[in-house]
Amino acid sequence: MSLTTIASPHHGSAFADYVFERIGPTSLPRIFRALRALRIKTGAFTQLTRRFMEEDFNPRTPNREGVRYLSYGASVDPPIWSAFKRSHRIVEREEGANDGLVSVESSRWGEYKGTLVNVSHLDLINWTNRLRWLVWEMTGNKRNFNAIAFYLDIGDMLAKEGL
């Protein structure tokens, strides 16, 4: 049995800390109500802070005997027009290399399988701007990451290892 995580904030995210420090506890309920009205679920937001993960979640959720834990991280240097430019800078200042939201260090859990380079958090969930890739490929460039192939490779590796 195994659990493989990819760019999961096992130790929280400096960007979540930053957002909650700027918003403040008195404004959070109003913001959460507005997000829920837009049908955006908010339950996990407060659980992404470094404090919550280190002091609450991780101590209450120990590794289970007999489970092999594998993890991957990702890092990117987002272009100036990227939606992740600011969040990347905040996480990089506090935690180092990151995918725009989660640092490589925070993603480490169990056996660390490696860092995906030039891959953003959105690339990992295959939510890449198709128009951007079309223009990119028309100018002779190639995609540097294929999320579907990556996940299939993980499944293949786990199968070969009997996990």
Side-chain angles (χ1 to χ4, degrees):
M1 186 181 303
S2 69
L3 172 68
T4 302
T5 60
I6 295 98
S8 295
H10 294 289
H11 305 283
S13 172
F15 187 64
D17 296 345
Y18 174 87
V19 168
F20 284 103
E21 287 169 8
R22 297 302 182 275
I23 291 173
T26 57
S27 299
L28 282 176
R30 186 176 67 246
I31 291 168
F32 284 164
R33 276 193 303 277
L35 289 171
R36 281 192 295 276
L38 296 170
R39 298 180 190 245
I40 298 172
K41 295 181 180 180
T42 60
F45 288 167
T46 56
Q47 297 173 359
L48 297 175
T49 63
R50 292 182 288 178
R51 182 177 181 177
F52 178 84
M53 291 303 292
E54 291 296 336
E55 296 178 11
D56 193 353
F57 184 83
N58 290 340
R60 287 187 303 114
T61 315
N63 286 352
R64 187 173 176 178
E65 188 71 32
V67 175
R68 184 170 166 204
Y69 293 88
L70 310 167
S71 62
Y72 292 84
S75 69
V76 70
D77 185 13
I80 196 157
W81 59 84
S82 171
F84 285 132
K85 190 66 175 173
R86 184 167 187 189
S87 60
H88 179 273
R89 193 174 3 185
I90 291 164
V91 176
E92 184 175 51
R93 182 178 61 234
E94 295 289 323
E95 300 180 70
N98 68 88
D99 66 4
L101 291 174
V102 178
S103 72
V104 170
E105 283 305 310
S106 185
S107 67
R108 292 177 184 271
W109 197 265
E111 180 185 335
Y112 190 69
K113 299 297 282 181
T115 302
L116 303 164
V117 179
N118 294 323
V119 177
S120 76
H121 207 72
L122 288 180
D123 293 333
L124 290 167
I125 60 170
N126 205 30
W127 197 17
T128 308
N129 182 326
R130 290 186 179 163
L131 179 59
R132 177 183 71 154
W133 282 118
L134 176 65
V135 172
W136 185 253
E137 289 172 346
M138 287 173 46
T139 59
N141 296 294
K142 297 202 186 253
R143 291 185 194 207
N144 62 345
F145 180 72
N146 181 328
I148 295 168
F150 173 69
Y151 290 109
L152 288 172
D153 285 346
I154 290 174
D156 186 55
M157 174 201 64
L158 294 172
K160 286 176 179 172
E161 294 184 22
L163 298 172

